[in-house]
Amino acid sequence: MTRIPIARPLLGDTEQDAVAEVLRSGWITQGPRVEAFEKAVAARVGAREAVAVSSCTAALHLALVVAGVGPGDEVICPSLSFVATANAIVHAGARPVFAEVDPATWCLDPADVETRITERTRAVMPVHQVGMPADLDGLGAVCGRHGLQLIEDAACALGSEYHGRPVGAGAYLACFSFHPRKILTTGEGGMIVTSSSELASRLRRLRHHGMSIDDRVRHEANTPLEEDYLERGWNYRMSDLHAAVGLAQLERLGGILDARRQIVARYRRALAGLPAMLAPFEPPGRRTNHQSLGLTLLPDAPISRDALMARLLDAGIATRRGIMTIHRASAYRDAVGDLRLPHSEEVSDRSLLLPLFVPMNGETVDRVCAELRCALSGCRQLER
């Protein structure tokens, strides 16, 4: 029996043709396609500037650097996130301070964030977890009261909306991912959007070793130009090959979002009334892109999360454990000591991610739901 994957990128002839065109052009590194992709993403999310980089981790690192975060500083972020959120803070020389999430939305709790602010706090980094927008109004108010920068880890949130505006619109700094498990993929890649042209100029310089002259300017000049290196940067460039795929993917975005919402609606109808709930909860004014679909088991569920995952895998259905908690990872455990975050830990321990991809037909959704209904109703495994 064919296994149902948890995710699958939607790629086809359009993407192949776009890559072939770049190969024929002879310019395959950072060039005109990257610039076009930046402009297209900025327009899509309503941002003044967009700067393409090699990954969202690189984007978060550079965003922290241009925001002035460095050694001795603290950045408050959720522990309920992929480890890259905290790693980027460490790479900037700062210390991640883990705060609690709202267990309904899986996103940072502004009230808990405020209790963790110290004289060393420089920024707050919310994560729009699995595409659910964080409480930007609440977090923005906290940052405003304490003079802190708000830097958004929007890795999963391209196409999500906050009070009718795309995530990233008007952001000081927000960072997107184009990993294959995201809504839009370039294979690997990331994008920083910002409302500041000055920050965007510095970001473009830092992603290219601190070089004073853009490659296109240098290669298209009628006279020889000698570059300088104004500060110590990194090689965080995106290639035109990746950007070409991104441009083709961006044309599909509206249809992908509609299809994912229809799939989730089918899941909701089929799983209603069971001792589990689809997650995270979508509050008024926040619209997720459904980058991933979580299922949280209630206390009266007749099966544990891990046993449910094993049963589904035996039935040919792939799942993943809920979002990790960084403070319990080996790389951070010693640094944080006996830190306890009950809400984050409960969400992580009692949830799993279900298959969700485009195209995922109704028959496939129904097969997943049938296995779930049987497991959560205490019945024996379905015959196949």
Side-chain angles (χ1 to χ4, degrees):
M1 181 176 56
T2 302
R3 178 179 293 181
I4 300 172
I6 186 170
R8 178 187 295 158
L10 180 62
L11 299 167
D13 292 343
T14 303
E15 287 81 4
Q16 292 182 39
D17 292 344
V19 170
E21 183 179 348
V22 171
L23 292 173
R24 288 191 294 267
S25 76
W27 192 308
I28 61 174
T29 187
Q30 181 177 279
R33 292 292 86 193
V34 168
E35 183 178 347
F37 188 38
E38 290 174 336
K39 290 179 179 178
V41 171
R44 179 61 177 77
V45 306
R48 176 176 293 178
E49 299 276 1
V51 180
V53 290
S54 55
S55 70
C56 188
T57 309
L60 291 169
H61 180 203
L62 289 186
L64 289 160
V65 170
V66 300
V69 173
D73 293 334
E74 295 177 347
V75 178
I76 300 174
C77 68
S79 173
L80 188 78
S81 183
F82 183 54
V83 71
T85 300
N87 285 350
I89 296 169
V90 173
H91 294 329
R95 174 177 173 264
V97 174
F98 298 117
E100 270 288 21
V101 297
D102 176 344
T105 66
W106 297 9
C107 295
L108 266 184
D109 177 0
D112 190 71
V113 166
E114 194 151 28
T115 68
R116 299 178 192 273
I117 294 172
T118 72
E119 60 182 13
R120 293 188 174 185
T121 307
R122 187 65 177 267
V124 175
M125 184 184 284
V127 176
H128 303 306
Q129 195 52 262
V130 297
M132 176 58 64
D135 182 358
L136 293 176
D137 289 343
L139 292 166
V142 171
C143 289
R145 285 193 293 272
H146 297 274
L148 306 176
Q149 304 288 9
L150 186 66
I151 301 171
E152 301 171 44
D153 182 341
C156 299
L158 186 67
S160 298
E161 297 176 4
Y162 188 78
H163 292 294
R165 300 180 70 196
V167 166
Y172 170 62
L173 290 159
C175 303
F176 296 98
S177 171
F178 304 127
H179 181 271
R181 284 204 61 223
K182 302 305 188 286
I183 296 289
L184 181 156
T185 186
T186 60
E188 290 284 2
M191 189 77 74
I192 312 161
V193 300
T194 178
S195 56
S196 169
S197 296
E198 181 179 355
L199 288 182
S201 295
R202 189 174 178 218
L203 287 165
R204 292 191 175 97
R205 187 167 66 243
L206 286 173
R207 73 178 172 184
H208 194 17
H209 305 287
M211 188 184 293
S212 62
I213 303 172
D214 181 83
D215 278 341
R216 287 188 66 193
V217 173
R218 185 175 56 172
H219 289 296
E220 294 173 359
N222 294 321
T223 58
L225 297 176
E226 184 176 352
E227 75 277 5
D228 191 9
Y229 295 86
L230 305 178
E231 55 185 319
R232 297 169 186 172
W234 293 266
N235 181 359
Y236 282 167
R237 292 170 295 175
M238 176 183 283
S239 75
D240 264 26
L241 292 168
H242 292 86
V245 174
L247 283 164
Q249 287 271 289
L250 199 57
E251 294 180 1
R252 300 176 182 263
L253 183 59
I256 290 173
L257 293 171
D258 289 343
R260 294 178 83 89
R261 288 174 177 134
Q262 291 173 18
I263 293 167
V264 172
R266 190 173 186 126
Y267 265 117
R268 291 195 185 282
R269 290 192 297 269
L271 299 178
L274 293 175
M277 59 184 180
L278 293 179
F281 170 70
E282 195 172 51
R286 297 192 234 175
R287 194 179 192 204
T288 179
N289 60 8
H290 294 298
Q291 182 270 332
S292 292
L293 179 63
L295 183 78
T296 301
L297 299 186
L298 300 181
D300 59 342
I303 188 171
S304 71
R305 189 274 308 274
D306 290 354
L308 176 59
M309 291 180 66
R311 176 169 171 162
L312 290 172
L313 188 60
D314 186 56
I317 300 168
T319 60
R320 287 191 65 176
R321 287 180 172 84
I323 309 304
M324 68 177 290
T325 46
I326 304 171
H327 73 283
R328 295 190 292 181
S330 296
Y332 287 90
R333 195 179 300 129
D334 291 342
V336 301
D338 60 354
L339 175 67
R340 292 296 311 278
L341 298 170
H343 292 322
S344 300
E345 293 166 14
E346 184 174 18
V347 168
S348 182
D349 293 344
R350 295 176 60 180
S351 62
L352 63 152
L353 302 181
L354 300 176
L356 177 58
F357 53 89
V358 179
M360 185 177 180
N361 61 34
E363 181 180 345
T364 302
V365 177
D366 292 345
R367 178 179 151 196
V368 176
C369 291
E371 293 286 355
L372 282 169
R373 289 194 68 87
C374 185
L376 293 170
S377 299
C379 66
R380 295 175 59 187
Q381 195 153 17
L382 297 175
E383 293 186 5
R384 300 185 300 281

